[in-house]
Amino acid sequence: GEQVEQRPPHLSVREGDSAVITCTYTDPNSYYFFWYKQEPGASLQLLMKVFSSTEINEGQGFTVLLNKKDKRLSLNLTAAHPGDSAAYFCAVNSGGNNKLTFGQGTVLSVIP
Amino acid sequence: EAAVTQSPRNKVAVTGGKVTLSCNQTNNHNNMYWYRQDTGHGLRLIHYSYGAGSTEKGDIPDGYKASRPSQENFSLILELATPSQTSVYFCASGESWGVSYEQYFGPGTRLTVL
């Protein structure tokens, strides 16, 4: 089945700096990709989504890039602020089977 | 007006005891899911359901049962709880037809098995 590897597990940046979180996946039939944000002690909130046909999505200060050739998905934050401090998870849907496979998560800390 | 709710939010159980975690959704989604979250593992799928009366095994079903008595409700049952089942459990709902397969999560239940 699908396997998703997410890096790095922890990331600390200063306010205003950029941050990049990357996921690699194995199933070439994967088509839908998601990023979820989880603030401490809270649930997961859908942050952004990208489909295989679009490859790029922007919003809320984030950019999601999809490289289908390398089976790599990235979440790029151009100017971090303390409110971005949270855990971020990528999730991949493979072949429309109604299931998501999650990465291990990245804890992002933004230092004021 | 949260669309996915879970109860209880916190639970302490004894080893060998029975634990039932409940989930309710008002999204009118066909699919519902139970995950557990542990540090370093992300979310792992335990059981899921395509609709009332159906349950399917996820990636880590051992030690867990599920029940979907209605469109809105999905329960996770630990018949004989063990300390290794100490975790945070999330329920989610999602569409069953191919819009985008995104899932919407409940607030989580923190379970401690002593």
Side-chain angles (χ1 to χ4, degrees), chain A residues 34 36 38 43 49 89 98, chain B residues 33 37 100-103 106:
Chain A
F34 307 91
Y36 285 86
Q38 184 182 33
S43 187
K49 56 188 177 184
F89 295 89
N98 295 317
Chain B
Y33 307 83
Q37 182 179 35
S100 66
Y101 302 104
E102 61 203 68
Q103 296 178 12

Side-chain angles (χ1 to χ4, degrees), chain B residues 6-32:
Chain B
Q6 295 180 230
S7 63
R9 295 295 312 280
N10 291 281
K11 173 74 177 178
V12 178
V14 295
T15 297
K18 182 177 181 179
V19 177
T20 300
L21 306 183
S22 299
C23 178
N24 178 277
Q25 58 107 355
T26 57
N27 293 323
N28 199 31
H29 288 157
N30 285 334
N31 295 348
M32 295 185 74

Side-chain angles (χ1 to χ4, degrees), chain A residues 3 6 11 13 18 27 42 62-63 72 76 80 87 100 104-105:
Chain A
Q3 294 182 45
Q6 182 172 343
L11 183 58
V13 300
S18 62
D27 190 340
F62 292 88
T63 300
R72 186 186 308 273
N76 300 263
L100 295 179
Q104 296 82 0

